[in-house]
Amino acid sequence: MQVVLDYLKRNQARFVAELCEFLRFPSVSAQPQHKQDLRACADWLAQHCRQIGLEAKVCPTTGHPIVVAKTKFVKNSRKPHFMVYGHYDIQPPDPLDLWESPPFEPRIAGRSLFARGSTDNKGQHFAHLKAVEAYLKTGTPLPCDLTFVIEGEEEVGSANLAKFLKSHRRELACDAIVVSDTGMPHSDCPALTHALRGIIAFEITLRGPSRDLHSGIFGGAVDNPAMALSQLLGKLRDKNGRIAIPGFYDDVAPLTAYERSELSRLPTNDAELRKLLGVKKLFGERGFTPIEQRSARPTFEINGLTSGYQGEGSKTIVPAWARAKITCRLVPDQNPARIRKVVCNYLKKICPPSVRLEIEAGHGAEAYLVSPKSPQARAALRALHQAFNRKPVLMREGGSIPIVNDFKKVLGADTLLLGLGLPEDNAHSPNEKFDLDCFENGQRMSAFLWQELSRSA
Ligand SMILES: [Zn+2]
C-alpha cells in the first residue's frame, strides 16, 4: 500500500497537468454547438483510461456518449466488484464577464484550480482514476474489480443513463457504487453523505369567476381566488413550522441518536447562516436544529405564487384564478406517490366550495438512505479517516440525486457519496474551482477505499 501512496505523492504535478488538459474541453451538454466537444472529451478520457492500464470504450447513446473503463477482470476471481460513477459534461460557463480568467483555460492560484467543470465533476472522478493508476503502474494488486461509468448528460437530467444501466445490467452488477459529486464541509473535514432527500412537485390552481371582474360592481359577492388560495396555503403549516397535513409525517424515519450526534459535529454556526442568507431570524420545525431541518426533515415549500394584475399601478379586479407552484422535499421512508395522495386529499377536503381546485402533478423522486452503520459505510469512513488524517463526519444532503435510486433499483447496490467539493467551490457559478488538497486527499481516499470496501464485502 505504501508504494501506492508514494506513487501518488510523486506524481501530483503531472496529475494536475493532466487534469488541466481534461478541463480544456468545453463539454457543455446543454448547448448543441458543443456536441463535438463532448465527443472529443469522451474520446480523450477513454484514451487516458487506456494509458493508465484500464480497458475503455466510448458507448454511444441517443445523446452524449458514456465512457466505460474497467480493470482487467480475471474470470472467476470472486473479487468484489465496485463501480465509480462520474460525469464529464459540465454546466454552461455563462455569464462569462464574471470569470476572472477564461473558464476553459485552467488557472492555478495557491491550492485552487480554476476552470469550469473542475469540481463538478471532472476533478472529483479524476481523483479516483489516479488512485487506480497508482495501483496499476506500481504492480500493486487491487483487491477488487473496478468499473468506471462516466456519463455526458448529468447536467441535463441523465436521460440515457437509466436505459444504459438496464441494458448493461449484467456487466455492471456490483457490490457498491462510489460517487464523488457532492460536498464536504471543509478541506479539513472529510464527509460521507449517507442520505438524500426526495421530492414531489405540483401546481395548485383555484378558479373563481369565468373572467377578471370589476371589484366595485361584483366585489363582496364572489370569493376572491387569490384570498382563497392564501387561506388554503395558510392552513398547511402551523406556527411551529410543522406541516399540518394529516398523514404527512407517518412514514418519516426518525433520526437516530448516533446520527443526531454526528450531525451536531458539523462545523456550522446559526448566526453565520443567518448572515449568509440575509434573513432576520432562522425559522424551521421546532425541536430540530437547522442542519437537521435542512437535510433530515421533510418540507412543504411554495416556489411561486401568481394571481391577478402584476403591472404598474393598480387595477381594481377580482382575479379569475390564482396559482401556486409547490415542491415538498421528502425524507426516508416517505413514498412520493403516497405523499402526493395525502396532500391532494387534504387540499380537496379543505378547499371552499366557492372556488374550483385543480392540481397538476409534476416530477417526483424518492429519498435515499444508506445505514451509516452498514459495513460499507463504516469502510468508507475508515478510508476517509486514513486519507485525510481527520475523523470524518456523517452528512445528509438536502437535495436529490435521482440516479442513485436507479443504481439501487437496477443494479441492486448501495451508493456511497464521498464528495470532494467545498462549499466555496462555485459549482455551477462563475470562477468554479477545485481544491488541490481535496484532489490529492481524494486520490488517497480512493486508494484506501478499495482495501477497506473489499474487506467489508
Ligand atoms: Zn452539476
Side-chain angles (χ1 to χ4, degrees):
M1 189 61 191
Q2 193 54 44
V3 58
V4 168
L5 299 175
D6 290 343
Y7 180 93
L8 291 175
K9 193 162 192 183
R10 240 186 3 258
N11 286 285
Q12 283 309 307
R14 173 170 61 82
F15 293 171
V16 172
E18 289 167 349
L19 176 56
C20 288
E21 213 179 305
F22 192 15
L23 290 168
R24 284 194 186 94
F25 291 94
S27 46
V28 182
S29 49
Q31 298 174 338
Q33 72 265 31
H34 286 298
K35 194 168 173 24
Q36 282 315 313
D37 294 318
L38 277 116
R39 176 73 216 201
C41 187
D43 286 339
W44 180 90
L45 180 59
Q47 186 52 36
H48 190 80
C49 290
R50 284 178 208 118
Q51 259 171 38
I52 66 180
L54 298 170
E55 288 169 354
K57 55 186 178 181
V58 176
C59 306
T61 71
T62 54
H64 302 300
I66 298 170
V67 176
V68 177
K70 47 178 78 178
T71 49
K72 294 192 174 79
F73 289 21
V74 179
K75 253 209 167 138
N76 305 322
S77 74
R78 309 192 62 179
K79 281 186 193 174
H81 177 207
F82 302 111
M83 183 176 127
V84 178
Y85 163 83
H87 63 95
Y88 67 86
D89 67 319
I90 55 176
Q91 285 277 319
D94 315 75
L96 286 171
D97 54 320
L98 293 183
W99 283 79
E100 278 163 34
S101 54
F104 301 114
E105 290 172 28
R107 171 176 64 96
I108 296 169
R111 293 296 282 161
S112 297
L113 170 56
F114 289 89
R116 171 55 91 225
S118 54
T119 190
D120 183 14
N121 167 259
K122 288 173 177 171
Q124 296 206 40
H125 64 257
F126 208 62
H128 288 283
L129 282 171
K130 294 293 107 179
V132 176
E133 173 184 326
Y135 275 94
L136 299 178
K137 294 289 181 190
T138 58
T140 310
L142 267 162
C144 55
D145 291 324
L146 284 178
T147 301
F148 287 81
V149 173
I150 316 290
E151 70 153 323
E153 297 183 300
E154 196 272 347
E155 300 292 6
V156 288
S158 300
N160 287 294
L161 187 65
K163 220 186 308 165
F164 184 83
L165 294 177
K166 280 178 202 146
S167 59
H168 294 72
R169 192 191 295 259
R170 285 260 287 285
E171 174 186 351
L172 298 176
C174 59
D175 297 282
I177 296 105
V178 171
V179 180
S180 292
D181 195 17
T182 49
M184 51 197 271
H186 188 271
S187 59
D188 278 345
C189 185
L192 167 67
T193 299
H194 73 287
L196 301 164
R197 288 199 287 192
I199 192 168
I200 52 167
F202 52 96
E203 271 186 43
I204 308 171
T205 305
L206 290 190
R207 293 193 188 279
S210 58
R211 60 201 179 280
D212 289 356
L213 299 177
H214 189 304
S215 68
I217 302 176
F218 299 106
V222 289
D223 201 354
N224 181 313
M227 178 62 82
L229 181 61
S230 306
Q231 289 171 331
L232 193 69
L233 294 173
K235 287 184 185 145
L236 301 183
R237 193 186 77 188
D238 72 14
K239 64 178 195 310
N240 294 324
R242 238 182 117 78
I243 314 304
I245 300 170
F248 189 80
Y249 291 97
D250 281 2
D251 301 321
V252 172
L255 278 164
T256 61
Y258 170 58
E259 270 195 86
R260 293 192 91 165
S261 86
E262 280 293 308
L263 286 173
S264 72
R265 290 178 52 226
L266 284 171
T268 59
N269 175 320
D270 292 357
E272 260 171 39
L273 184 62
R274 193 158 39 81
K275 228 165 99 192
L276 176 75
L277 306 181
V279 292
K280 264 169 67 183
K281 193 174 187 302
L282 295 176
F283 177 86
E285 187 184 357
R286 190 181 283 178
F288 297 91
T289 65
I291 262 278
E292 293 170 348
Q293 290 159 354
R294 285 160 60 198
S295 61
R297 298 299 294 171
T299 64
F300 184 102
E301 298 289 358
I302 303 169
N303 310 124
L305 204 49
T306 322
S307 180
Y309 179 66
Q310 316 261 334
E312 234 176 284
S314 73
K315 189 181 181 205
T316 47
I317 55 160
V318 175
W321 56 267
R323 181 172 298 141
K325 288 180 184 287
I326 309 284
T327 49
C328 296
R329 292 287 174 177
L330 308 180
V331 298
D333 299 316
Q334 287 179 303
N335 173 288
R338 187 181 168 270
I339 295 299
R340 201 186 284 286
K341 208 186 251 165
V342 159
V343 173
C344 289
N345 286 347
Y346 189 59
L347 287 170
K348 282 179 198 153
K349 193 178 155 199
I350 62 171
C351 180
S354 49
V355 286
R356 282 194 316 279
L357 168 70
E358 290 169 12
I359 304 170
E360 198 187 318
H363 62 100
E366 256 169 87
Y368 186 74
L369 179 81
V370 176
S371 163
K373 298 219 161 170
S374 72
Q376 290 182 340
R378 284 174 195 264
L381 288 169
R382 285 196 302 274
L384 285 170
H385 199 157
Q386 294 171 86
F388 286 81
N389 244 323
R390 292 275 195 293
K391 188 167 186 255
V393 291
L394 267 177
M395 271 171 58
R396 282 171 173 245
E397 181 89 38
S400 315
I401 308 179
I403 192 65
V404 167
N405 295 312
D406 289 322
F407 290 148
K408 182 85 191 179
K409 269 181 216 140
V410 181
L411 306 179
D414 280 334
T415 299
L416 299 162
L417 298 160
L418 295 160
L420 301 171
L422 298 178
E424 65 274 21
D425 274 353
N426 293 322
H428 294 208
S429 299
N431 302 309
E432 178 178 349
K433 70 166 180 70
F434 189 40
D435 188 286
L436 292 176
D437 289 331
C438 293
F439 183 41
E440 186 171 354
N441 285 332
Q443 299 158 30
R444 290 160 49 83
M445 179 266 289
S446 185
F448 284 116
L449 184 64
W450 310 128
Q451 300 292 343
E452 294 296 345
L453 270 181
S454 301
R455 222 167 280 156
S456 80

